[in-house]
Amino acid sequence: MANKNLIIRIGVKGARKTRKALNGVGNSLKGISKVASIAGLGIAGLSVKLAGDFSKSLREISTLMDNVTEKDIKKMSKELRVLSGASGLALDSLSKAKYDIVSAGFANAAESAELLRVSAQLAVGGVSGVDVAADLLTTTMNSYRIAAKGAESVSDKLFKTVKLGKTTIDGMGGSLGRVLGVAGTLGIELDEVLAAFATLTTSMGSSERATTAVMGSIQALLTPTKELDDTELALYNLRVDRFGLVKVN
């Protein structure tokens, strides 16, 4: 079938070097945090309204998780308050990100706590909202069926994409997300997609334009050739219909 190497297909100078850099040794986000003076803040230190809203958010999150007890809710409350103090991120934004993470299928208490921590780290390092960071992180992981233990590695690749390209976490979250599901299903490596995207943003100056170019190249990878037999052609048509892609004659 078609060559799945997106970088070769897209033919962007420097993309191979960028791909190699994505796998560089070390975590670019390690140690990034804002140590706020409210690290030990408790519910008693919050306004009555904020405490009530926070408590409501915790209850909403717990409805998506199995066998949650009052003890578990108190533990979750402490988790979010400590993370808020360490990162400088607001409790309401962390609560929303936590809800989104659990909604994305990471409902286990330990897994959701790890993804929230990594999302907060990515948000601080990438100067974005933690809800945007969490959405981009979980979308990427689900697209490539990556378990929670791989969150740190995926987050590092996303942050390096920002550093190597001309984009932001917000820009990636608003455009690249729709490409990842297709690319992951087709077996196109995450590093290939991110390297192509980062390189294209430097020349195009727009995350949206880079996304369109990457998606166009993925469509081209699916273009049938004269050598395809009936079975391969049927598979091609199935992929086109499934992902709503435009056939290239």
Side-chain angles (χ1 to χ4, degrees):
M1 188 80 183
N3 188 333
K4 291 183 179 180
N5 192 312
L6 184 62
I7 287 179
I8 291 176
R9 177 73 198 193
I10 209 165
V12 181
K13 186 177 181 180
R16 289 186 178 181
K17 184 177 180 180
T18 301
R19 186 190 189 286
K20 185 177 181 180
L22 286 172
N23 277 311
V25 178
N27 187 341
S28 300
L29 281 164
K30 188 174 183 180
I32 291 179
S33 65
K34 293 180 180 178
V35 180
S37 59
I38 57 172
L41 181 66
I43 288 293
L46 302 175
S47 68
V48 174
K49 182 180 185 306
L50 180 56
D53 291 343
F54 181 51
S55 178
K56 180 182 178 181
S57 296
L58 293 177
R59 298 287 172 181
E60 291 173 346
I61 294 169
S62 69
T63 62
L64 302 178
M65 306 171 77
D66 296 328
N67 305 316
V68 178
T69 65
E70 287 298 318
K71 184 178 180 181
D72 294 325
I73 293 177
K74 288 181 179 179
K75 186 176 180 180
M76 193 190 311
S77 171
K78 181 178 180 181
E79 168 205 334
L80 267 66
R81 286 184 285 113
V82 170
L83 186 56
S84 175
S87 65
L89 298 171
L91 270 175
D92 59 346
S93 64
L94 287 170
S95 298
K96 183 181 184 306
K98 178 82 169 184
Y99 185 92
D100 292 343
I101 287 169
V102 175
S103 295
F106 299 93
N108 176 276
E111 290 183 350
S112 62
E114 172 64 4
L115 260 74
L116 183 60
R117 180 190 69 79
V118 174
S119 296
Q121 194 177 49
L122 180 60
V124 172
V127 194
S128 92
V130 65
D131 56 331
V132 175
D135 181 62
L136 178 60
L137 180 63
T138 55
T139 295
T140 305
M141 294 176 68
N142 281 333
S143 296
Y144 284 87
R145 299 181 181 181
I146 299 172
K149 63 182 180 181
E152 196 87 61
S153 176
V154 173
S155 175
D156 192 48
K157 290 179 187 293
L158 294 173
F159 184 62
K160 284 179 179 177
T161 301
V162 171
K163 292 178 64 178
L164 295 168
K166 191 177 180 181
T167 185
T168 63
I169 293 299
D170 287 345
M172 292 172 66
S175 56
L176 188 60
R178 67 176 184 267
V179 174
L180 295 173
V182 178
T185 301
L186 295 178
I188 300 173
E189 293 183 10
L190 176 59
D191 287 0
E192 298 281 335
V193 177
L194 294 180
F197 178 79
T199 307
L200 284 168
T201 58
T202 61
S203 59
M204 294 184 168
S206 165
S207 297
E208 190 65 34
R209 290 177 182 175
T211 298
T212 300
V214 172
M215 195 62 178
S217 294
I218 291 176
Q219 290 176 339
L221 287 173
L222 290 172
T223 303
T225 65
K226 294 180 180 179
E227 289 74 27
L228 292 183
D229 59 26
D230 291 340
T231 301
E232 290 176 317
L233 185 59
L235 178 59
Y236 161 75
N237 288 327
L238 177 64
R239 284 174 168 173
V240 168
D241 291 339
R242 181 176 179 183
F243 298 114
L245 302 178
V246 179
K247 293 183 181 180
V248 181
N249 297 321

